[in-house]
Amino acid sequence: MSNKVAQRHDRILDALAYRSVSSVNALAKEMDVSVETIRKDLMVLMQKDLVIRIHGGVGLANEKAGRKPRDVRKIENIELKRAIAQKAVQLVKPDATIIIENSTTTCEMAQALLNAPELLSTLTIITNSFPICMLYEFGALCKRLFFLGGLCSHTEQSTCGHYASKMMKSFHAQQSFISGAGISNSLSLMGYLEDDVVFQTQAIECADEPVLLVDSTKFQTDAWLTVSPLSAFTHIVTDLNREHPIAKRMLHSQFPIVFS
């Protein structure tokens, strides 16, 4: 591979790191090469597992040390997430104050709550998610909406970091709804990013009833940061098959599983 091609590959990866997802045509224009050249470049990068093809373009395969771009995660296992979201909504208590984390699964839950407008109108919602704020018309559709300030992430469309978690400490919620990067073999919730772990840990501590939403693809996935053991949750909403060995272990340990 020539030095010129290698440099272009680095520029493509830098471009995708900045905006998560791009079309082939946009990359060709930005790199000032033909579409055919970009396709060849992307084929090489895909063979190295550095980028993946998604609807409408390409994205990084391993953004931010293990996490795929949000636009990729949003459409992955979408039917599983929607089934989990519908079940999670049934756990929401009228007149409650609830924390909803910014994740692709919890955003599906937020969307499902729109189908229960009478319930939604009674809720005080605390979130770090810009999409959820927009979904609820900045508080017009619920009783109250508090947005947790902090460092803005343009790729995650949320706030993150120390300030968002510190602000959350001011609240007491009846329920918190979070997701996660994976569930380890030791039955702990795991994460890839320190900001996520800090936020999720605080969301568990601030709520009487922490609720975990996790689809079956996340089990036996070892990220490198531990959030908490599954015993910290009052409900674990999942599509995992009851006959799966891990489901049997969880039931044997009397974890409060809600099957979607």
Side-chain angles (χ1 to χ4, degrees):
M1 181 187 299
S2 71
N3 188 50
K4 183 177 180 181
V5 172
Q7 288 178 349
R8 189 168 63 246
H9 288 180
D10 287 340
R11 289 177 60 203
I12 290 170
L13 294 174
D14 287 342
L16 292 175
Y18 180 75
R19 58 176 177 267
S20 296
V21 176
S22 181
S23 69
V24 173
N25 288 340
L27 285 172
K29 183 176 181 180
E30 185 172 346
M31 304 300 149
D32 195 26
V33 295
S34 69
V35 170
E36 186 58 32
T37 297
I38 284 292
R39 291 189 191 280
K40 291 178 181 178
D41 290 337
L42 293 174
M43 186 63 67
V44 172
L45 294 173
M46 281 189 280
Q47 289 172 348
K48 294 180 178 180
D49 292 326
L50 294 174
V51 302
I52 56 175
R53 191 182 303 278
I54 63 169
H55 178 69
V58 294
L60 291 183
N62 200 28
E63 188 197 40
K64 290 187 176 180
R67 182 193 291 197
K68 295 177 184 178
R70 180 182 176 86
D71 290 343
V72 176
R73 288 180 281 122
K74 185 176 180 179
I75 60 175
E76 282 185 332
N77 308 306
I78 185 64
E79 294 306 321
L80 301 183
K81 292 175 182 177
R82 286 175 178 168
I84 290 169
Q86 293 290 342
K87 207 69 178 181
V89 166
Q90 296 176 22
L91 300 175
V92 178
K93 300 177 178 179
D95 301 306
T97 296
I98 66 174
I99 298 168
I100 308 180
E101 178 196 21
N102 181 65
S103 75
T104 57
T105 304
T106 50
C107 281
E108 286 297 328
M109 175 197 159
Q111 180 70 45
L113 268 171
L114 289 178
N115 297 322
E118 292 184 1
L119 171 62
L120 179 59
S121 67
T122 71
L123 300 177
T124 296
I125 294 173
I126 303 163
T127 188
N128 65 329
S129 171
F130 287 111
I132 291 176
C133 284
M134 292 187 288
L135 188 66
Y136 294 154
E137 298 180 9
F138 299 95
L141 302 184
C142 55
K143 186 176 182 180
R144 300 184 192 90
L145 191 150
F146 290 95
F147 184 75
L148 299 171
L151 178 66
C152 292
S153 169
H154 71 279
T155 57
E156 294 302 306
Q157 301 170 16
S158 68
T159 55
C160 60
H162 167 73
Y163 290 107
S165 300
K166 184 177 180 180
M167 184 176 175
M168 196 183 349
K169 290 182 181 180
S170 303
F171 293 96
H172 173 260
Q174 280 70 56
Q175 297 172 296
S176 61
F177 295 86
I178 69 173
S179 187
I183 306 297
S184 70
N185 285 323
S186 61
L187 299 183
S188 290
L189 177 64
M190 309 297 290
Y192 287 115
L193 302 178
E194 184 178 358
D195 283 346
D196 289 346
V197 171
V198 171
F199 187 95
Q200 291 168 349
T201 301
Q202 191 61 53
I204 292 169
E205 292 178 358
C206 286
D208 296 331
E209 298 181 11
V211 181
L212 176 64
L213 283 58
V214 58
D215 69 69
S216 52
T217 67
K218 301 293 182 65
F219 286 85
Q220 296 179 297
T221 299
D222 279 315
W224 41 84
L225 297 173
T226 300
V227 179
S228 74
L230 295 188
S231 56
F233 296 95
T234 59
H235 297 89
I236 301 166
V237 189
T238 182
D239 66 297
L240 196 66
N241 189 293
R242 290 174 182 269
E243 299 304 313
H244 192 285
I246 289 185
K248 289 183 176 180
R249 282 177 58 198
M250 293 168 68
L251 289 169
H252 180 73
S253 299
Q254 297 185 326
F255 287 139
I257 308 176
V258 179
F259 293 99
S260 64

